[in-house]
């Protein structure tokens, strides 16, 4: 547990007045408040730090104790007596404290040891029930996983949550699991759990929403004369007729052979295949001769 | 009353200990959609988290209604841009995987 320099966090001198501290705090709170920095973990961390610094420095008793014993926080037991008195002083305080949607236990170990955690906080909007903090999590799945409806059990704060992931979920998509975030404050409702899906594509298919794209190699002779090729779609093999004189880069759409449409059971996007004509190599003398003959005919 | 989808403003205000005038002001700036269910002013339950956010910004950061309107619009724009970035990143990976 390291000593935390609350003055440094708020960017004020040790001699700063209450007004200066309040001003510095308000300025930083506006900058780092989680509601104005959604999904920014750095800002969230910073906000917690400045909130904690303000908790200590805006209260004359806490500040005095911090100034006097701050660096010797290990001797916290000596402060116990003072803490009792301080608790009584706090009753009825109405100074406003920024919540940022956080629960009461977002304070450092340093703060907990010196000021006894949430009991040392100034109470604001007393009796106000606040919804708990929203939690954000990331879940990595493969493209194969999300081709079908997928069930997963997640452990969040020692609780198992079984979730059903609809087929066709997108990379980067976020779903909300209601009521599985942090506990509410003063009996308020729990926050929500937001899960961001990171889809790892380990297939040869490229995906754009519910359409899939892939390249298929065909030999020169099939491309020129036409024929049949067997290609892999996401859910099996399909035989395709290749028209004669097919050009390199020709695109063919296979309707309904793409990816499942999100939350539209039984509906699929399309598969777009691009023919890549593979030129023969290591030609024999006979083959070269025949190609020359063909060249003369053109 | 359909309590599955709505919460009365009176309930909300008593729960969060905020004056009902706060809602009048939000409504004035079209920051909240107030509907009347059996003549009782209500809000959609699915809007509660948005209203809580406005409440925190207003009471925590002392942002006035004009400021809330601006912040709210900008946050929505940020959210839309983030979604657009995700879509574009997914599309870009079509070419990067090659």
């Amino acid at each position: 547990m390291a000593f935390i320099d609350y003055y440094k966090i708020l960017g004020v001198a040790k001699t700063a007045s209450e007004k200066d501290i309040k001003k510095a705090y308000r300025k930083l709170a506006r900058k780092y408040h989680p509601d104005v920095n959604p999904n920014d973990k750095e800002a969230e961390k910073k906000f917690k730090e400045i909130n904690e610094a303000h908790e200590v420095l805006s209260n004359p008793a806490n500040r005095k104790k911090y100034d006097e014993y701050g660096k010797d926080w290990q001797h916290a037991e000596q402060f116990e007596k003072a803490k009792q008195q301080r608790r009584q002083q706090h009753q009825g305080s109405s100074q406003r404290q920024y919540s940022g949607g956080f629960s009461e236990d977002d304070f450092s170990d340093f703060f907990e040891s010196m000021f006894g955690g949430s009991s040392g906080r100034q109470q604001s909007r007393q009796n106000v029930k606040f919804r708990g903090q929203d939690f954000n999590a990331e879940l990595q799945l493969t493209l194969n996983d999300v081709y079908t409806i997928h069930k997963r059990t997640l452990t969040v704060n020692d609780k198992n949550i079984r979730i059903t992931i609809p087929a066709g979920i997108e990379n980067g998509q976020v779903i909300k699991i209601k009521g599985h975030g942090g506990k509410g404050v003063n009996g308020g409702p729990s926050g929500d759990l937001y899960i961001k899906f990171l889809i790892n594509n380990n297939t040869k298919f490229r995906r754009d929403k519910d359409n899939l794209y892939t390249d298929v190699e065909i030999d020169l002779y099939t491309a020129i004369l036409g024929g049949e090729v067997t290609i892999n779609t996401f859910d099996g093999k399909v035989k395709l007729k290749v028209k004669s004189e097919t050009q390199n880069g020709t695109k063919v759409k296979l309707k309904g052979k793409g990816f499942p449409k999100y939350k539209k059971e039984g509906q699929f996007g399309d598969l777009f295949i691009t023919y890549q004509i593979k030129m023969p190599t290591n030609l024999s003398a006979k083959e070269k001769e025949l190609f020359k003959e063909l060249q003369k005919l053109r | 009353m359909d309590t599955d989808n709505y919460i009365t403003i009176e309930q909300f205000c008593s729960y969060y200990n905020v004056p009902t005038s706060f809602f009048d002001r939000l409504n004035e700036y079209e920051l909240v959609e107030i509907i009347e269910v059996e003549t009782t002013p209500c809000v959609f339950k699915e809007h509660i988290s948005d209203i809580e956010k406005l409440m925190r910004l207003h009471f925590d950061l002392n942002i006035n209604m004009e400021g809330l309107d601006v912040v709210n619009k900008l946050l929505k724009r940020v959210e839309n841009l983030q979604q657009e970035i995700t879509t574009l990143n997914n599309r870009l990976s079509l070419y990067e995987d090659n």
Side-chain angles (χ1 to χ4, degrees):
Chain A
M1 190 168 30
F3 169 73
I4 299 172
D5 188 341
Y6 291 136
Y7 290 102
K8 201 174 168 187
I9 287 171
L10 291 185
V12 292
K14 284 194 174 174
T15 52
S17 66
E18 271 185 52
K19 201 179 159 190
D20 291 338
I21 287 168
K22 196 173 175 181
K23 196 176 160 191
Y25 173 56
R26 283 189 184 283
K27 193 177 169 188
L28 290 168
R30 281 197 299 273
K31 190 174 175 186
Y32 294 107
H33 196 283
D35 284 324
V36 288
N37 296 278
N39 300 320
D40 185 340
K41 284 176 186 162
E42 269 304 303
E44 189 180 314
K45 190 174 159 236
K46 192 89 184 155
F47 183 74
K48 284 176 186 171
E49 285 173 4
I50 57 170
N51 226 8
E52 184 176 311
H54 180 252
E55 279 294 332
V56 176
L57 301 184
S58 66
N59 179 290
N62 280 353
R63 185 178 176 184
K64 193 181 169 199
K65 182 175 158 187
Y66 174 77
D67 287 345
E68 204 170 345
Y69 302 106
K71 281 181 179 168
D72 298 318
W73 51 266
Q74 292 95 333
H75 303 126
E77 69 273 10
Q78 292 171 9
F79 310 138
E80 280 304 309
K81 214 174 175 182
K83 191 161 74 183
Q84 289 302 323
Q85 288 170 350
R86 194 189 61 254
R87 276 181 184 158
Q88 284 162 11
Q89 285 164 9
H90 284 157
Q91 302 251 326
S93 164
S94 63
Q95 191 169 345
R96 198 170 291 291
Q97 172 63 37
Y98 295 175
S99 69
F102 287 123
S103 58
E104 297 268 344
D105 52 5
D106 282 312
F107 287 81
S108 71
D109 292 344
F110 174 76
F111 181 91
E112 299 279 333
S113 78
M114 269 200 90
F115 303 103
S118 59
S119 61
R121 292 188 67 184
Q122 298 163 31
Q123 295 299 304
S124 66
R125 272 186 270 162
Q126 283 186 348
N127 305 321
V128 176
K129 295 169 182 174
F130 264 101
R131 195 170 148 272
Q133 188 188 353
D134 288 337
F135 287 164
N136 290 292
E138 287 182 349
L139 183 59
Q140 294 214 1
L141 296 171
T142 66
L143 199 61
N144 281 303
D145 289 334
V146 296
Y147 186 74
T148 51
I149 292 175
H150 198 77
K151 287 186 193 297
R152 272 284 169 106
T153 304
L154 304 175
T155 307
V156 180
N157 282 356
D158 298 328
K159 273 203 289 187
N160 285 338
I161 308 166
R162 193 163 167 76
I163 58 166
T164 303
I165 304 155
I169 199 155
E170 281 236 46
N171 184 35
Q173 194 172 331
V174 178
I175 64 169
K176 180 169 92 173
I177 314 286
K178 218 172 156 50
H180 283 92
K183 278 187 180 169
V185 178
N186 293 336
S190 296
D192 299 325
L193 169 66
Y194 289 86
I195 303 174
K196 184 177 184 179
F197 289 87
L198 301 175
I199 316 290
N200 176 27
N201 185 356
N202 53 356
T203 72
K204 60 175 186 164
F205 295 96
R206 300 182 299 278
R207 180 187 179 198
D208 182 15
K209 292 184 177 165
D210 48 10
N211 288 329
L212 291 174
Y213 299 81
T214 192
D215 294 335
V216 170
E217 277 191 354
I218 55 171
D219 65 80
L220 178 70
Y221 308 103
T222 307
I224 291 174
L225 303 171
E228 229 175 35
V229 286
T230 303
I231 64 145
N232 289 313
T233 67
F234 212 91
D235 65 345
K237 290 182 188 299
V238 163
K239 266 189 185 174
L240 275 186
K241 279 190 177 166
V242 181
K243 284 182 187 167
S244 60
E245 298 176 21
T246 291
Q247 299 294 310
N248 189 41
T250 297
K251 285 183 170 61
V252 176
K253 181 168 93 172
L254 300 186
K255 211 169 161 51
K257 286 287 176 190
F259 217 67
K261 293 190 176 185
Y262 182 68
K263 286 192 170 175
K264 288 181 180 170
E265 213 176 324
Q267 290 186 42
F268 290 79
D270 303 322
L271 169 63
F272 293 85
I273 62 167
T274 305
Y275 287 129
Q276 301 289 345
I277 298 172
K278 197 176 175 189
M279 304 302 283
T281 53
N282 303 321
L283 297 178
S284 66
K286 176 78 177 169
E287 282 175 316
K288 278 183 187 169
E289 197 181 310
L290 289 168
F291 273 114
K292 276 178 189 167
E293 273 187 45
L294 282 172
Q295 194 181 27
K296 280 177 198 165
L297 290 173
R298 297 296 290 178
Chain B
M1 189 190 290
D2 173 10
T3 51
D4 284 347
N5 296 314
Y6 311 111
I7 180 170
T8 67
I9 287 176
E10 202 185 321
Q11 270 180 308
F12 189 100
C13 289
S14 114
Y15 190 83
Y16 288 98
N17 199 16
V18 289
T20 50
S21 58
F22 175 65
F23 269 87
D24 296 337
R25 301 211 65 206
L26 287 179
N27 194 32
E28 200 180 309
Y29 283 84
E30 296 176 356
L31 288 164
V32 65
E33 190 186 343
I34 296 177
I35 40 157
E36 290 220 342
V37 181
E38 294 167 16
T39 69
T40 310
C42 296
V43 287
F44 285 106
K45 277 188 177 172
E46 64 186 47
H47 292 169
I48 289 177
S49 59
D50 289 337
I51 299 167
E52 282 178 330
K53 184 161 70 182
L54 294 171
M55 203 166 71
R56 286 195 297 267
L57 292 169
H58 180 65
F59 291 111
D60 289 357
L61 299 182
N62 292 330
I63 296 176
N64 63 15
M65 290 293 150
E66 289 84 351
L68 281 187
D69 194 18
V70 174
V71 170
N72 201 39
K73 282 191 175 93
L74 288 174
L75 283 175
K76 278 186 180 150
R77 195 182 287 181
V78 168
E79 201 178 304
N80 288 338
L81 287 171
Q82 277 172 339
Q83 275 173 6
E84 207 174 316
I85 287 170
T86 304
T87 308
L88 289 172
N89 274 334
N90 287 344
R91 197 159 287 173
L92 187 64
S93 67
L94 287 177
Y95 304 98
E96 285 181 334
D97 289 347
N98 273 336

